[in-house]
Amino acid sequence: TLNSFVVGPNNQFAKSAASAVSESPGKTKFNPLLIYGGVGLGKTHLLQSIGNYVLLNNPKSVVSYITSEEFYLNFIDAIKNNNTKLFTSRFRSSDLLLMDDIQFFSGKESTQEEFFYVFNTLYQEGKQIVLTSDLPPSSLKGLQDRLISRFQWGLCVDIQPPDLETRVAILKKKAEESDRLKSAFMA
C-alpha cells in the first residue's frame, strides 16, 4: 500500500506522484506516469500500491497489472492461438494499466507495435497508464522512438538509492510488519 511505503529524500517525489495518480487516475497531468530507478528501490511497490488504492476506492475500476515480460509472452500466445483481438481487448478495456519493467520490450518489435496501439487507445480515452523501468526513457535502447516519446508525455520520476536514515526506517518498518505477522499467526 502507499501507507506502507517508507518515504525519504530519494523517493519522495515518486511517492507524491503515485499518490496523485491513485486519487485521480487519468485526471492528472501525470499520464503516463513512468517511475524509473535501480533494482529494489520501490518501483513495483508504488505500482502495485496505485492499483490497490484505486480498487479499494473504486471497486468497479478495471485495473490491469502486468510485467512487460508477461505482456510479451501473452502476446506470443495470442498470435499462436489466433486470438489477438481477445488479448488486446483485455488491456484496452482497462481504466488503469500498470506495467512493470518496460525495458524488456527492447528489440521485440511486434510487441512494441501492439503496446503502442494499447497505449494510444487508453491515453485517448483518458485512462491512466503507469509504467516502471530501470532507466529513464531517453536511455532505453531498442525501443521505438514513438514509444519513448509517448513515455515522456506525462511525468517521469526517478527513485534513487536511500540514504542511511531511510534505510534504517525501511528496516524498522519491515521488522514491525514481521512482528505483526508473527503475532497474528500465533494468535
Side-chain angles (χ1 to χ4, degrees):
T1 65
L2 289 167
N3 290 336
S4 66
F5 189 78
V6 177
V7 179
N10 63 304
N11 61 20
Q12 187 173 14
F13 188 50
K15 164 59 162 61
S16 294
S19 295
V21 164
S22 297
E23 293 169 10
S24 299
K27 294 178 178 61
T28 70
K29 293 184 181 196
F30 308 154
N31 196 18
L33 172 61
L34 189 142
I35 304 168
Y36 66 92
V39 175
L41 297 180
K43 300 179 304 290
T44 301
H45 184 135
L46 286 177
L47 193 66
Q48 293 177 351
S49 296
I50 292 168
N52 288 333
Y53 185 94
V54 168
L55 285 173
L56 182 66
N57 290 287
N58 190 354
K60 293 183 180 182
S61 291
V62 178
V63 175
S64 296
Y65 170 84
I66 193 163
T67 66
S68 61
E69 181 183 21
E70 289 173 309
F71 186 93
Y72 166 73
L73 294 173
N74 290 343
F75 181 57
I76 297 301
D77 282 344
I79 292 170
K80 183 179 85 175
N81 297 320
N82 202 24
N83 62 0
T84 54
K85 284 186 181 181
L86 180 64
F87 172 82
T88 58
S89 70
R90 169 185 171 197
F91 296 102
R92 290 180 186 197
S93 64
S94 300
D95 296 312
L96 170 62
L97 175 62
L98 305 165
M99 184 170 290
D100 216 350
D101 295 324
I102 58 163
Q103 70 273 8
F104 291 117
F105 280 164
S106 178
K108 297 173 176 79
E109 293 300 321
S110 295
T111 304
Q112 290 181 47
E113 184 84 12
E114 190 56 47
F115 183 67
F116 173 81
Y117 293 118
V118 168
F119 185 103
N120 281 348
T121 300
L122 294 176
Y123 187 84
Q124 289 169 359
E125 292 178 0
K127 307 300 183 175
Q128 183 67 52
I129 303 162
V130 185
L131 311 165
T132 69
S133 174
D134 59 356
L135 296 168
S138 60
S139 298
L140 292 170
K141 304 293 180 219
L143 290 181
Q144 298 171 358
D145 289 342
R146 63 186 185 168
L147 276 178
I148 303 257
S149 172
R150 278 163 177 72
F151 296 163
Q152 296 171 327
W153 281 355
L155 178 66
C156 298
V157 296
D158 71 328
I159 297 179
Q160 295 294 317
D163 60 15
L164 177 63
E165 291 82 3
T166 306
R167 288 195 309 264
V168 170
I170 291 168
L171 290 173
K172 285 184 173 185
K173 183 84 162 185
K174 287 186 180 284
E176 289 171 8
E177 289 172 2
S178 178
D179 288 345
R180 267 195 300 275
L181 287 173
K182 284 180 190 175
S183 296
F185 183 71
M186 298 295 202

